[in-house]
């Protein structure tokens, strides 16, 4: 049976954008993992690393030294000072700090820093003294949750993060777009990706019209009023923004405050080409942040179970179609070199923020391995 028309069709603001949106519906998101695809040097499935590496070698774009950093929840069991010692020892240049929501605020007492400007300055100086740039604040939550208390807590975390970013002169806030209920009477979020039967089309239309767009229009204005013009949404399953097309739908409806946290780990398993995505969103100035996290897909399991069959712990890996890995352990170094080159091509102004959710190389070990790969790849591109 054929699907109905999309329930939400944002009004394009330019011919250029219309073409991009049209392209995303045909080529970019249509790729799928081919069973028996060639393995990388590590024995993992890889994308077209050969062609990407040739593109990287042929590029004439200026090569900016993009700072390499880390997302701090991986060090949640360490004090702020102990974490900073670890990050300094790795030679990392930047950091993404959790300020609430799902990542928590282990190293950033937001309300204390808002209440006392001197404390905020002292907190920031700890990073500066070690040569580490606090590049982004992150409050991944669900302010659209149908449970009013949950939504209010995450909304407060976001707004406090905006106020703290304003105080500390931090330009980018990272989070999720959230996911509302499917109807006014539901008590849990409803992630709808397929618009048939028609009741799902109608629920999706209701979500965007009544919940998603009004909330983010209001919240983006709040951010704008406090000098924050870059809200970077991670394209993540179980939230209304989960791929480049849904990101652009929200950007079209709300404004250019909305952009991407381009976490490719969530796009690899959807069949996206990483370099294509970076160029596609980058041409529109829509990438504000980048998580560095890899994904490995096991072709024999994908062939049997499909891609929506993740493992999150080591004891689940045997039956998984895909797992998150440290950079370089899902796709080859050649692919990651092409990815960094693509970020250079578009003039990306953010950082490369390592997020480790590897069930095999857990915690600090995964950060160290990812940092090693990224630094070597960056050095090759810069001719260092």
């Amino acid at each position: 049976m054929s699907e109905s028309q999309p329930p939400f069709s944002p009004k394009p603001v330019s011919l250029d954008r219309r073409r991009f949106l049209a392209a995303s519906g045909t080529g970019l998101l249509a790729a799928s993992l081919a069973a028996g695809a060639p393995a990388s040097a590590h024995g993992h499935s890889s994308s077209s690393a050969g062609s990407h590496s040739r593109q990287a070698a042929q590029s004439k774009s200026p090569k900016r030294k993009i700072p390499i950093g880390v997302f701090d929840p991986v060090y949640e069991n360490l004090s702020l000072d102990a974490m900073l010692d670890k990050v300094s020892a790795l030679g990392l240049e930047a950091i993404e700090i959790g300020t609430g929501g799902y990542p928590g605020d282990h190293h950033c007492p937001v309300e204390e820093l808002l209440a006392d400007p001197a404390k905020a300055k002292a907190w920031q100086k700890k990073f500066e003294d070690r040569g580490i740039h606090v590049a982004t604040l992150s409050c991944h939550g669900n302010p659209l949750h149908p449970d009013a208390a949950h939504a209010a807590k995450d909304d407060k975390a976001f707004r406090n993060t905006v106020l703290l970013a304003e105080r500390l002169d931090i330009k980018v806030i990272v989070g999720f777009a959230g996911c509302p209920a499917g109807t006014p009477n539901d008590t849990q979020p409803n992630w709808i990706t397929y618009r048939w039967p028609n009741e799902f089309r109608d629920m999706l239309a209701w979500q965007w019209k009544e919940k998603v767009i009004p909330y983010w229009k209001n919240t983006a204005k709040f951010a704008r009023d406090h000098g924050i013009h870059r809200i970077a949404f991670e394209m993540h399953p179980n939230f209304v923004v989960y791929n480049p097309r849904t990101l652009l739908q929200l950007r079209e409806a709300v404004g250019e405050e909305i952009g991407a946290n381009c976490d490719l780990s969530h796009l690899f398993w959807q069949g996206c080409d990483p370099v294509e995505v970076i160029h596609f969103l980058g041409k529109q100035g829509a990438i504000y942040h980048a998580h560095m996290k890899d994904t490995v897909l096991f072709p024999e399991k994908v062939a049997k179970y499909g891609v929506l069959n993740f493992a999150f712990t080591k004891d689940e890996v045997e039956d998984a179609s895909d797992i998150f890995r440290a950079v370089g352990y899902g796709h080859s170094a050649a692919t990651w070199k092409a990815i960094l080159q693509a970020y250079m091509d578009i003039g990306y102004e953010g950082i490369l923020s390592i997020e480790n959710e590897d069930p095999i190389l857990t915690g600090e070990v995964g950060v160290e391995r990812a940092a090693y790969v990224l630094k070597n790849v960056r050095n090759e591109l810069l001719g260092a």
Side-chain angles (χ1 to χ4, degrees), residues 333-354:
T335 296
W336 282 98
K337 184 176 181 180
I339 288 166
L340 264 64
Q341 178 64 68
Y343 280 120
M344 293 178 181
D345 288 343
I346 67 168
Y348 172 61
E349 297 176 353
I351 69 168
L352 306 172
S353 182
I354 297 167

Side-chain angles (χ1 to χ4, degrees), residues 165-180:
E166 179 184 33
R167 170 162 290 176
L168 299 175
D169 194 29
I170 294 169
K171 303 300 185 184
V172 179
I173 292 175
V174 184
F176 294 136
C179 186

Side-chain angles (χ1 to χ4, degrees), residues 20 64 81 96 208 221 232 268 278 291 324 334:
F20 278 124
R64 170 183 177 252
D81 288 327
E96 172 186 356
W208 279 81
K221 181 182 184 303
F268 284 129
I278 293 166
H291 274 172
F324 296 129

